[in-house]
Amino acid sequence: MKYLFIVLLACAWPGVSAAQALISPDGKTLLIGNKRGWYELQGPYIAHFAQPSKTVRKNGPWGKFHVVVGFTAADTGDISQLKILESSGNETADSQVLGALDGLKLLPFTADMKEAELKLVLPVTWVNDPLPVTKPAE
């Protein structure tokens, strides 16, 4: 069993700038030709699709939270055995990361990936700043 360490480059939800280079010029196709491309896309892909709930974005907790999760990815992209490996120290932040990843399906493995599954470790840094307060028009 291989253990891999994926670095989430687009760290602060909801940013996803790193994924842009991997999208075709027409914006409709992800360009993943091999195992390396699959690995490079996982961080931005997860950052794009795994979002904290609107309630937490609105009500907190506020701050910067670092959580390390582990999971198994099947060749179909299904995630299983999702668990916290290193807590942020904030139970709500930890549960938001687990909730955002639970049920997420990664991209299927590319043709050159012969493994049936991979065990992955994903560090997630989540920044939740308070939403700006808008004043009513006078």
Side-chain angles (χ1 to χ4, degrees):
M1 185 70 59
K2 284 190 173 184
Y3 290 87
L4 300 170
F5 188 74
I6 294 178
V7 176
L8 183 57
L9 297 176
C11 294
W13 287 341
V16 192
S17 60
Q20 302 308 317
L22 298 170
I23 298 175
S24 66
D26 65 5
K28 296 180 181 177
T29 308
L30 293 173
L31 302 175
I32 308 171
N34 57 27
K35 187 175 192 173
R36 181 176 180 192
W38 186 89
Y39 288 128
E40 289 174 354
L41 186 58
Q42 294 317 301
Y45 179 84
I46 291 169
H48 180 75
F49 289 105
Q51 299 292 318
S53 72
K54 290 181 182 182
T55 302
V56 169
R57 293 286 299 155
K58 182 179 175 185
N59 300 322
W62 311 118
K64 185 175 183 177
F65 306 99
H66 181 75
V67 181
V68 178
V69 295
F71 57 89
T72 300
D75 58 357
T76 59
D78 293 318
I79 292 177
S80 63
Q81 302 172 358
L82 178 64
K83 61 186 170 194
I84 298 280
L85 300 177
E86 181 183 311
S87 172
S88 68
N90 183 293
E91 190 175 321
T92 302
D94 291 354
S95 69
Q96 281 298 300
V97 171
L98 284 180
L101 294 173
D102 187 37
L104 180 69
K105 185 169 179 146
L106 300 179
L107 298 165
F109 291 1
T110 57
D112 63 336
M113 297 173 74
K114 302 303 180 197
E115 304 88 353
E117 61 182 28
L118 295 171
K119 291 211 177 273
L120 303 171
V121 175
L122 178 71
V124 178
T125 299
W126 172 38
V127 179
N128 194 28
D129 293 326
L131 298 174
V133 177
T134 56
K135 295 181 180 179
E138 295 179 9

